[in-house]
Amino acid sequence: MTYRTEIRFLLNGADVTVTDVPADKTLLDYLRLERRLTGSKEGCAEGDCGACTVLVGRLAGGGLKYETVNACIRFLASLDGCHVVTIEHLRGQNGGLHPIQQAMVDFHGSQCGFCTPGFVMSLYALWMGNPEPTETEIESAIQGNLCRCTGYQPIIAAAMAANRYGSPAQDFLETERVNITERLTALSDGRRVVTGPEDNQAILPADVADFAAVLEDFPQATIVAGSTDVGLWVTKFMRPIGPAVFISHLQELKSVTLSDTALEIGAGVTYSEAQETICETFPHLKSYWDRIAGQQVRNMGTIGGNIANGSPIGDTPPVLIALGAQIVLRKGAKQRSLPLEQFFIEYGKQDRAPSEFVESILIPRPRTGQLHAAYKISKRRDEDISSVAAGFNVTVSEGRITDCRLAFGGMAGTPKRAAKAEAALRGQPWGEAAFLAAGQALQADFTPLSDWRASAEYRAIAARNLLQRFFLTHDDRSEAPVDLLSA
Ligand SMILES: Cc1cc2nc3c(=O)[nH]c(=O)nc-3n(C[C@H](O)[C@H](O)[C@H](O)COP(=O)(O)OP(=O)(O)OC[C@H]3O[C@@H](n4cnc5c(N)ncnc54)[C@H](O)[C@@H]3O)c2cc1C
Ligand code: FES
Ligand code: FES
């Protein structure tokens, strides 16, 4: 096979070609150290503070879409075919400040200024898509940006006022949309890219079949989707990741398909891309989804990555297991599927063979009689990892619990169902007695660990209380449980 050896993308107004790109080179290092674009700051180098926020535009679904990302944990190689927009590119109508920048100045949204470029980029992305945001929408857009000086209120005030300073229709990204689209289209030649030194190679497969073929050749390669986990292996743990196979550009892994019976989500779908359909199909996940990371990480991180990393504290596995999700794995052209809970064997060990990858996740649609809930307990509301997460799915028919799936994260070495608590509920009349018994049984299901997120005792009590909360939430209107689907 012939392949390309360089990465090609647009950086602000320029066409850029970079050869010999090591797998582990971050976009932030490239911008700051090689391009001397030092407006994007390095605060934490782990996706938490947002000081490095830039926009990345990509052609998808017939259009050009820009999103905020954390340049510190985004790898340069993954930007092939993209438009990277940094703070240096922002400008107003007559060469003055951009409307977002001017609003930040006028509303005193900046003090020491270290966080400011990141906030401006996050607010810029918000304003482009939603020029009249509510305060809640602003808070969501800046969930992934930290400021130690301003107390946030002046920044929110600036965001509320931004549209008075200029219209997105006149913004350069809008007026240059056709030109940028043409230039990005010209960059996509549909070829595999292989770049970087032998021991630190970055490989971008041409399509999913090619991805499968690359994994057959390099069974131990690191798969990199959104890099919101893998990025930290490099920036925090100095771990080598080469050869690395980058997959965030593979559109075939990005399909979201809703049929009469199930929602199928490609492994490469990000939290942001899944959000609308997932929250419409499973309304109980709406507030839960807002609690996953911050906007930049939601724009990068994939559901496939959240499952494949095997973490016991990932947020999607417990709720997906509770919903009865199946995972589809692929090796070469061969697919197999299994209930998601069976994918997690023990801490650090998943049912995934060398050269195999996660292709999609299949979630059955809710059925009449099912009561659902999703809970996340973490030290901070925003941008924090769960101490305990739970997904519940209890089927009630004629006042009796006929089926139930209770899944927890943070309670064991893997995301896990509470088999004994489920047994205590199944077949019982709906009522407090059944849930108290299930809470007791739950103590035998798990022996949680203590760590800096929570003590074992806290986790055990919190899990039991979540079960109680589920009962009280669904029991508050009458003796008979409320069916949320028909309520
Ligand atoms: C600031 C910050 C906040 C975060 N907050 C949360 C949070 O609130 N909740 C939460 O659950 N997580 C959180 N995370 C963790 C992370 O965002 C998620 O786990 C995310 O879903 C990982 O997806 P990714 O696409 O970025 O995976 P990557 O980092 O690209 O990969 C993760 C792992 O999965 C493997 N992998 C990826 N795709 C596939 C595939 N298709 N087949 C096989 N293997 C694959 C990779 O090889 C790697 O082992 C946070 C991370 C950061 C940096
Ligand atoms: S430097 Fe903090 S998120 Fe990137
Ligand atoms: S202005 Fe100082 S950190 Fe935000």
Side-chain angles (χ1 to χ4, degrees):
M1 165 180 285
T2 62
Y3 48 80
R4 185 152 48 83
T5 55
E6 77 274 354
I7 301 294
R8 308 183 308 194
F9 60 103
L10 306 186
L11 174 58
N12 295 329
D15 292 73
V16 175
T17 299
V18 196
T19 53
D20 212 19
V21 179
D24 60 1
K25 178 175 293 229
T26 65
L27 173 60
L28 188 62
D29 278 352
Y30 172 74
L31 293 175
R32 291 181 58 84
L33 304 177
E34 294 185 31
R35 306 299 299 226
R36 307 308 292 171
L37 293 170
T38 53
S40 309
K41 306 296 181 214
E42 183 174 83
C44 65
E46 59 180 60
D48 261 316
C49 75
C52 63
T53 303
V54 299
L55 295 198
V56 170
R58 189 189 278 285
L59 296 175
L64 170 59
K65 191 173 154 213
Y66 289 90
E67 286 179 325
T68 50
V69 307
N70 295 120
C72 65
I73 51 170
R74 182 78 189 232
F75 294 110
L76 182 63
S78 73
L79 294 159
D80 191 61
C82 295
H83 182 199
V84 178
V85 182
T86 69
I87 187 76
E88 286 84 357
H89 201 45
L90 262 64
R91 55 190 188 273
Q93 283 293 299
N94 303 310
L97 289 181
H98 186 275
I100 302 293
Q101 293 170 317
Q102 192 60 56
M104 285 285 272
V105 171
D106 292 353
F107 284 82
H108 309 287
S110 178
Q111 288 184 26
C112 81
F114 195 82
C115 69
T116 309
F119 270 99
V120 169
M121 295 309 282
S122 287
L123 294 180
Y124 177 38
L126 174 68
W127 172 77
M128 288 293 287
N130 179 7
E132 299 278 0
T134 62
E135 194 160 328
T136 308
E137 288 164 340
I138 295 167
E139 279 184 18
S140 176
I142 58 173
Q143 244 178 328
N145 293 83
L146 297 181
C147 174
R148 61 183 185 166
C149 305
T150 64
Y152 299 98
Q153 211 49 52
I155 298 173
I156 292 171
M160 299 287 273
N163 209 32
R164 300 209 299 265
Y165 288 79
S167 150
Q170 267 119 45
D171 187 80
F172 62 94
L173 280 190
E174 207 44 64
T175 56
E176 292 168 15
R177 183 167 282 265
V178 174
N179 170 275
I180 293 165
T181 301
E182 283 170 4
R183 285 161 68 193
L184 289 181
T185 307
L187 290 183
S188 69
D189 56 7
R191 291 162 72 193
R192 185 193 286 186
V193 178
V194 181
T195 184
E198 190 85 2
D199 60 345
N200 197 7
Q201 238 169 21
I203 305 168
L204 283 77
D207 52 27
V208 171
D210 191 36
F211 172 32
V214 169
L215 285 185
E216 299 272 21
D217 291 343
F218 300 94
Q220 304 309 332
T222 308
I223 299 173
V224 185
S227 70
T228 59
D229 286 321
V230 177
L232 278 69
W233 300 357
V234 170
T235 59
K236 295 287 139 174
F237 305 111
M238 315 298 161
R239 255 172 74 176
I241 59 165
V245 194
F246 290 84
I247 60 168
S248 64
H249 61 293
L250 296 178
Q251 288 304 314
E252 295 151 282
L253 292 181
K254 285 192 166 287
S255 64
V256 178
T257 315
L258 188 60
S259 74
D260 287 346
T261 53
L263 174 63
E264 183 164 16
I265 299 183
V269 174
T270 63
Y271 295 111
S272 298
E273 288 163 341
Q275 186 152 7
E276 194 178 332
T277 313
I278 217 151
C279 297
E280 271 170 19
T281 315
F282 307 101
H284 70 287
L285 289 182
K286 189 171 177 338
S287 54
Y288 188 83
W289 217 254
D290 289 337
R291 297 270 316 275
I292 297 175
Q295 190 63 54
Q296 297 90 327
V297 169
R298 287 196 294 269
N299 291 340
M300 296 163 69
T302 62
I303 298 173
N306 198 229
I307 292 170
N309 71 19
S311 166
I313 45 174
D315 280 336
T316 64
V319 296
L320 294 177
I321 290 171
L323 289 171
Q326 297 266 325
I327 181 173
V328 180
L329 294 141
R330 174 167 164 182
K331 181 176 159 79
K334 214 165 141 203
Q335 289 171 317
R336 68 182 172 111
S337 69
L338 69 158
L340 180 55
E341 58 266 40
Q342 289 177 16
F343 179 68
F344 303 104
I345 298 170
E346 60 187 54
Y347 181 75
K349 188 172 175 199
Q350 297 85 44
D351 183 359
R352 186 165 75 83
S355 305
E356 200 170 35
F357 64 94
V358 182
E359 192 171 40
S360 63
I361 299 101
L362 207 62
I363 319 165
R365 289 183 80 150
R367 284 194 293 275
T368 308
Q370 287 182 342
L371 306 173
H372 298 117
Y375 301 117
K376 170 168 177 167
I377 294 180
S378 56
K379 284 191 169 168
R380 288 182 316 215
R381 186 195 66 177
D382 292 330
E383 187 94 278
D384 203 0
I385 304 288
S386 296
S387 308
V388 176
F392 300 153
N393 177 3
V394 176
T395 308
V396 183
S397 176
E398 296 176 357
R400 194 166 284 278
I401 298 166
T402 54
D403 198 7
C404 61
R405 298 175 68 88
L406 312 174
F408 287 87
M411 295 291 290
T414 63
K416 198 167 165 254
R417 281 175 75 176
K420 294 191 172 68
E422 289 181 2
L425 283 181
R426 213 170 277 122
Q428 297 300 312
W430 171 272
E432 191 165 17
F435 278 86
L436 287 175
Q440 281 296 323
L442 199 60
Q443 309 304 304
D445 272 315
F446 298 111
T447 314
L449 292 176
S450 291
D451 61 19
W452 56 271
R453 286 202 173 85
S455 67
E457 191 188 6
Y458 176 91
R459 287 188 156 108
I461 293 171
R464 201 174 53 204
N465 285 350
L466 289 179
L467 210 50
Q468 195 62 12
R469 179 173 164 188
F470 175 81
F471 166 69
L472 293 171
T473 308
H474 290 91
D475 199 54
D476 61 356
R477 279 179 262 179
S478 69
E479 269 302 300
V482 180
D483 179 353
L484 287 183
L485 282 180
S486 52

